Amino acid sequence: MPFVTIQITREGSTPGADAATADEKAQLIHGVSKLLLDVLGKPMDATFVVIDEVETENWGWGGLPVEQFRARRRAG
Amino acid sequence: MPFVTIQITREGSTPGADAATADEKAQLIHGVSKLLLDVLGKPMDATFVVIDEVETENWGWGGLPVEQFRARRRAG
Amino acid sequence: MPFVTIQITREGSTPGADAATADEKAQLIHGVSKLLLDVLGKPMDATFVVIDEVETENWGWGGLPVEQFRARRRAG
Amino acid sequence: MPFVTIQITREGSTPGADAATADEKAQLIHGVSKLLLDVLGKPMDATFVVIDEVETENWGWGGLPVEQFRARRRAG
Amino acid sequence: MPFVTIQITREGSTPGADAATADEKAQLIHGVSKLLLDVLGKPMDATFVVIDEVETENWGWGGLPVEQFRARRRAG
Amino acid sequence: MPFVTIQITREGSTPGADAATADEKAQLIHGVSKLLLDVLGKPMDATFVVIDEVETENWGWGGLPVEQFRARRRAG
């Protein structure tokens, strides 16, 4: 009966993608449900997963919107 | 001063609807606020409710995106 | 497959109680699950509810910890 | 390593705006990260912030969708 | 920069344990961080995980506190 | 009507303290409520804040419980 929330920025991880793909989301859902089965013995049918995609301008890190934070890090 | 979050999939519950309607949302908001008044005596003006609609491809159950999980159940 | 989170302060609503009772929690769980069945047709077996009890010193309203906020309101 | 979630309605606070602007979001991210540094000594690079914008029809207050609640208050 | 919340009931999965053990929690943290690296290429150092343990009387399923729901299922 | 959740580890930031103090929590509540007033014009009486203190063994970073992660970082 676990409930897992995965919050990620809405952006692609592969060339041409501008968000996680349906297949990547399915892998996240399966992977974390399997993990709860393996570690705590929770039946997969009793686990809910929600993936929450957050616009990059709504995600902050280091006191900055995340894209500015990354640019600052790259600039070193 | 309660805060209630209702997470549901973004899909309709009536023919032709592809999401909860404004009227259904208003019923959820009223119903849960009334429940907190009845059970715990919380004034309705002190209760916030947020309805979070989640795309079906972002909701997992049984290790699968929920529409695949439902199809598997129907196929029994 | 809805997921409902009810956040309340940890305090009693009846004389002598210092928190919601098990019976009050059971009423909240039943009431909100029934509401989702009535309004959106969600089977009760597919609804999870979590009640999150928050210490009053961890709950803010009006820029103050909630007990100070209430005292200020009562003082008018 | 704090994680801050700011839930607001999706609506503008200035004439012509129908949502918080990128600049307002950046101010929220910076302000709350700075607050955690000042009060608890948390390094800004270790703080994540997520701004969750909620449609007004999905936000309830006083048992009503928030725009109806505000209209009722204005009407006195 | 993902943020993962794992909500589970506070109860043991092995004889004699009345809650997830520190080792089980460490496995959950490692497993889900690794999953986000494998599926989306997110660096493990950029992933936060929070495990939220919920008292069984605060977790509802099927309109009942979860232990009553399980008892009803076992009774079939 | 904003709702702010501040998740922090349960540990002190000053010598002898093993958690955020009531005064530090009051400063967080006031600071973030004031920020929403200043940036978005939200009345302070319409802002709720919840501070969620998480045990360090329940907080993961870098694929490890946070205290192990910090020890690894210190060890360089």
Side-chain angles (χ1 to χ4, degrees):
Chain A
M1 216 176 33
F3 187 78
V4 180
T5 307
I6 299 177
Q7 292 179 285
I8 53 175
T9 41
R10 193 189 305 276
E11 56 189 328
S13 61
T14 50
D18 57 5
T21 65
D23 180 61
E24 288 166 340
K25 292 175 186 175
Q27 289 179 52
L28 292 177
I29 288 168
H30 183 268
V32 76
S33 303
K34 181 71 166 44
L35 180 69
L36 283 154
L37 171 63
D38 292 346
V39 177
L40 297 180
K42 302 289 183 185
M44 289 176 76
D45 280 15
T47 293
F48 286 178
V49 182
V50 164
I51 299 170
D52 180 21
E53 298 175 271
V54 177
E55 302 302 325
T56 54
E57 106 182 2
N58 287 18
W59 195 297
W61 192 3
L64 294 170
V66 67
E67 294 191 340
Q68 291 180 37
F69 178 74
R70 289 171 180 163
R72 198 186 64 184
R73 281 219 163 164
R74 278 193 301 269
Chain B
M1 214 177 34
F3 187 79
V4 180
T5 307
I6 299 177
Q7 292 179 285
I8 53 176
T9 40
R10 193 188 304 275
E11 56 190 327
S13 61
T14 51
D18 57 5
T21 65
D23 181 60
E24 288 166 340
K25 292 175 185 175
Q27 289 180 54
L28 293 177
I29 288 167
H30 183 268
V32 75
S33 302
K34 181 70 166 44
L35 180 69
L36 283 154
L37 172 63
D38 291 346
V39 177
L40 298 179
K42 302 290 184 185
M44 290 177 74
D45 280 16
T47 294
F48 286 177
V49 183
V50 164
I51 299 170
D52 180 21
E53 299 175 272
V54 177
E55 302 301 325
T56 54
E57 105 181 3
N58 288 18
W59 194 297
W61 193 3
L64 294 169
V66 68
E67 294 191 339
Q68 292 179 37
F69 178 75
R70 289 172 180 163
R72 198 186 63 183
R73 283 217 161 167
R74 277 192 302 269
Chain C
M1 213 178 32
F3 186 79
V4 180
T5 306
I6 299 177
Q7 293 179 284
I8 54 175
T9 41
R10 193 188 305 277
E11 56 190 328
S13 61
T14 51
D18 58 3
T21 65
D23 180 61
E24 288 166 340
K25 292 175 185 174
Q27 289 180 53
L28 292 176
I29 288 168
H30 183 268
V32 75
S33 302
K34 180 71 165 46
L35 180 70
L36 283 154
L37 171 62
D38 291 346
V39 177
L40 297 180
K42 302 290 183 185
M44 289 176 76
D45 280 15
T47 294
F48 286 178
V49 182
V50 164
I51 299 170
D52 179 21
E53 298 176 272
V54 177
E55 302 302 323
T56 54
E57 107 181 3
N58 287 18
W59 194 297
W61 193 3
L64 294 169
V66 67
E67 293 191 341
Q68 291 180 37
F69 178 75
R70 289 171 179 163
R72 197 185 65 183
R73 281 219 163 166
R74 278 192 301 270
Chain D
M1 208 180 34
F3 186 79
V4 180
T5 307
I6 299 177
Q7 292 179 285
I8 53 174
T9 41
R10 192 187 304 276
E11 55 190 329
S13 62
T14 50
D18 58 5
T21 64
D23 180 60
E24 288 166 340
K25 293 175 185 175
Q27 289 179 52
L28 292 176
I29 288 167
H30 183 268
V32 75
S33 303
K34 181 69 166 45
L35 180 69
L36 284 154
L37 171 63
D38 291 346
V39 177
L40 297 180
K42 302 290 183 185
M44 290 177 75
D45 281 14
T47 294
F48 285 178
V49 182
V50 165
I51 299 170
D52 179 21
E53 298 175 272
V54 178
E55 302 302 324
T56 55
E57 107 181 1
N58 288 17
W59 194 297
W61 192 4
L64 294 169
V66 67
E67 293 191 341
Q68 291 180 37
F69 177 76
R70 288 172 180 163
R72 198 185 64 182
R73 282 219 161 165
R74 277 193 301 269
Chain E
M1 212 177 36
F3 186 78
V4 180
T5 307
I6 299 177
Q7 292 178 285
I8 53 175
T9 41
R10 193 189 304 276
E11 55 190 329
S13 61
T14 50
D18 58 5
T21 64
D23 181 60
E24 288 166 340
K25 292 174 185 175
Q27 288 180 53
L28 292 176
I29 288 167
H30 184 268
V32 75
S33 303
K34 181 71 166 44
L35 180 69
L36 283 154
L37 171 63
D38 291 346
V39 177
L40 297 180
K42 301 290 184 185
M44 290 176 77
D45 280 15
T47 294
F48 285 178
V49 183
V50 164
I51 299 171
D52 180 21
E53 298 176 272
V54 178
E55 302 301 323
T56 54
E57 106 181 2
N58 288 18
W59 194 297
W61 192 4
L64 294 169
V66 67
E67 293 191 342
Q68 292 180 38
F69 178 75
R70 289 172 179 162
R72 199 185 63 183
R73 282 219 161 164
R74 278 192 300 269
Chain F
M1 213 178 35
F3 187 78
V4 180
T5 307
I6 299 177
Q7 292 178 284
I8 53 175
T9 41
R10 193 187 305 276
E11 57 189 329
S13 61
T14 49
D18 58 5
T21 65
D23 180 61
E24 288 166 340
K25 292 174 186 176
Q27 289 180 53
L28 292 177
I29 289 168
H30 184 268
V32 75
S33 303
K34 180 71 166 43
L35 180 69
L36 283 154
L37 172 63
D38 291 346
V39 176
L40 298 179
K42 303 288 184 186
M44 289 176 75
D45 281 16
T47 294
F48 285 177
V49 182
V50 164
I51 299 170
D52 180 20
E53 298 175 273
V54 178
E55 302 302 325
T56 54
E57 103 181 4
N58 288 17
W59 195 297
W61 193 3
L64 294 170
V66 66
E67 293 191 340
Q68 291 179 37
F69 178 74
R70 288 172 180 163
R72 197 185 64 184
R73 280 218 163 167
R74 277 193 302 270

